[in-house]
Amino acid sequence: MTTSSLKKIGVYTSGGDAPGMNPAIRAAVRTALSQKVEVVGILNGYVGMIENRMITLQMRDMANIIQRGGTILKTGRSAEFMKPEYRATAANNLKAQGIDGLICIGGDGSFRGAQLLGAEHKIPIIGIPGTIDNDVYGTDDTIGFDTAVNTALQAIDKIRDTADSHDRIFIVEVMGRNSGWIASHVGLAGGAEEILTAENIISVDKIVENLKNSRARGKTSSIIITAEGQKPGRAYDLSDAIRKKSGLDAKVCILGHQQRGGTPSAHDRILASRLANAAVEALLAGRNNTMIGVQADKLVEIPLDLVTSKEKPGDKTLIHLARLLSI
Ligand code: F6P
């Protein structure tokens, strides 16, 4: 029997889905149930919390989900949850279900909602970083990032084959509205010549100059990686600009939402299992308003107000290394 005063906890996934959310749900549910704490799954994140869509989760409900992409609890982005009256409705629903603690699996936007809910309605909440973007402050890694990088990389390797066969330039757009982590990792791993992110803006003149120099050195094909901007399609603008400046034809490939799907990598399953187990242990031990993250492969607890108030900068060293090695 647990010594925790919590009798029933709620688990939800929120924001963009990420491969590894299912192993995280599995680990959270099984950790809680093994301590005789009941678990309720809240469907579609804050949308389901407001609309009272919740299901009881048992041990066997977690069977055969460890390898599945997406999230069995479904997810959502809720603008309504940013309004206090909707949070009050959600809190009433949680209380009516007897839920006295929450595990939130999501990114920093989801944690902002969690913090407000926790502060206004005195519900203990622990966060688990789950987003392909890897842009959550306080943790080296987020659930789904590794899988997304590998999914994008597989596509880039295939693009490289056709780029090489036709002596072509390709601009490959990867996900990351506000984050260049996927771009910098797949750029280095995929042998890209240029990597464009919000933190690494390169002028079209410079890109054209670099492309021409590459050709002069004997390179016959080139891969440019760009992170998407606020909406997908930045790669088309860049391709048009390159054509106008230089006459060079750069083909575009937008990888899009395939990066969010697929079976989670071993790395993401292990990360998800460790984080979710520690999150439930922390909640049951009476801790609140923190995120379980990983730093230098050790699990850490970071206050949610720090997580949501700070930016995690991208790693520009990878971008510089990619450029150096693509010579
Ligand atoms: O979940 C993160 C993310 O995939 C970003 O990389 C991307 O910019 C955004 O979500 C897309 O969101 P949506 O699927 O809501 O269009």
Side-chain angles (χ1 to χ4, degrees):
M1 280 290 284
T2 176
T3 52
S4 166
S5 60
L6 305 186
K7 299 279 175 285
K8 193 190 271 191
I9 64 168
V11 177
Y12 61 102
T13 47
S14 172
D17 61 346
M21 282 183 162
N22 281 329
I25 295 165
R26 172 182 179 269
V29 171
R30 289 192 167 165
T31 301
L33 291 177
S34 65
Q35 303 231 27
K36 309 280 182 268
V37 173
E38 291 177 63
V39 188
V40 168
I42 301 160
L43 303 178
N44 296 97
Y46 295 118
V47 178
M49 211 182 273
I50 294 168
E51 295 176 2
N52 204 14
R53 284 194 271 125
M54 307 190 192
I55 51 171
T56 301
L57 295 174
Q58 307 289 2
M59 285 287 186
R60 297 276 54 86
D61 296 327
M62 300 298 108
N64 297 318
I65 67 166
I66 196 165
Q67 81 287 8
R68 283 172 57 187
T71 157
I72 59 159
L73 294 179
K74 302 186 180 284
T75 186
R77 301 189 196 275
S78 171
E80 286 179 335
F81 201 75
M82 288 299 120
K83 299 182 187 154
E85 61 271 30
Y86 287 96
R87 291 195 293 276
T89 304
N92 286 337
N93 291 337
L94 295 171
K95 280 177 193 150
Q97 296 271 354
I99 293 170
D100 40 25
L102 287 172
I103 298 288
C104 168
I105 307 168
D108 53 357
S110 307
F111 296 156
R112 250 172 240 125
Q115 261 190 302
L116 290 167
L117 180 73
E120 289 164 0
H121 300 283
K122 309 284 167 276
I123 302 168
I125 303 182
I126 304 282
I128 301 173
T131 163
I132 63 163
D133 286 348
N134 196 29
D135 59 348
V136 178
Y137 179 83
T139 185
D140 295 345
D141 204 357
T142 59
I143 297 166
F145 174 61
D146 180 68
T147 308
V149 165
N150 281 294
T151 300
L153 189 59
Q154 280 180 14
I156 289 160
D157 287 348
K158 289 175 180 144
I159 290 165
R160 181 173 280 289
D161 289 343
T162 179
D164 177 46
S165 303
H166 284 266
D167 293 338
R168 277 177 172 160
I169 302 163
F170 268 84
I171 304 173
V172 182
E173 183 173 299
V174 296
M175 270 195 160
R177 200 166 18 209
N178 305 310
S179 155
W181 281 88
I182 296 179
S184 61
H185 277 64
V186 300
L188 177 57
E193 228 165 283
E194 304 281 5
I195 302 171
L196 280 68
T197 67
E199 288 167 334
N200 191 54
I201 295 161
I202 309 170
S203 71
V204 175
D205 285 332
K206 188 69 191 155
I207 293 171
V208 166
E209 183 192 321
N210 290 345
L211 284 170
K212 286 186 171 163
N213 287 341
S214 301
R215 300 248 146 179
R217 284 196 312 274
K219 264 187 116 138
T220 56
S221 63
S222 303
I223 306 274
I224 298 172
I225 303 291
T226 178
E228 67 185 15
Q230 281 310 308
K231 57 181 176 50
R234 172 179 282 175
Y236 283 110
D237 299 339
L238 182 60
S239 172
D240 287 345
I242 290 173
R243 191 175 299 107
K244 277 191 193 116
K245 278 260 165 304
S246 64
L248 288 169
D249 180 36
K251 299 277 177 197
V252 169
C253 182
I254 297 180
L255 298 185
H257 284 80
Q258 67 167 312
Q259 293 161 97
R260 288 237 295 260
T263 192
S265 65
H267 176 90
D268 277 329
R269 297 184 205 191
I270 292 165
L271 178 68
S273 302
R274 291 175 73 201
L275 292 176
N277 167 264
V280 172
E281 299 281 2
L283 189 64
L284 300 187
R287 294 203 287 287
N288 176 21
N289 210 17
T290 61
M291 176 191 79
I292 307 294
V294 64
Q295 291 178 7
D297 205 38
K298 297 259 179 309
L299 298 186
V300 290
E301 278 183 43
I302 314 284
L304 278 183
D305 52 5
L306 207 59
V307 175
T308 55
S309 62
K310 294 203 172 238
E311 298 269 311
K312 176 176 170 183
D315 189 347
K316 281 185 92 170
T317 58
L318 298 187
I319 296 179
H320 294 141
L321 183 58
R323 174 126 255 297
L324 179 86
L325 299 181
S326 73
I327 205 81

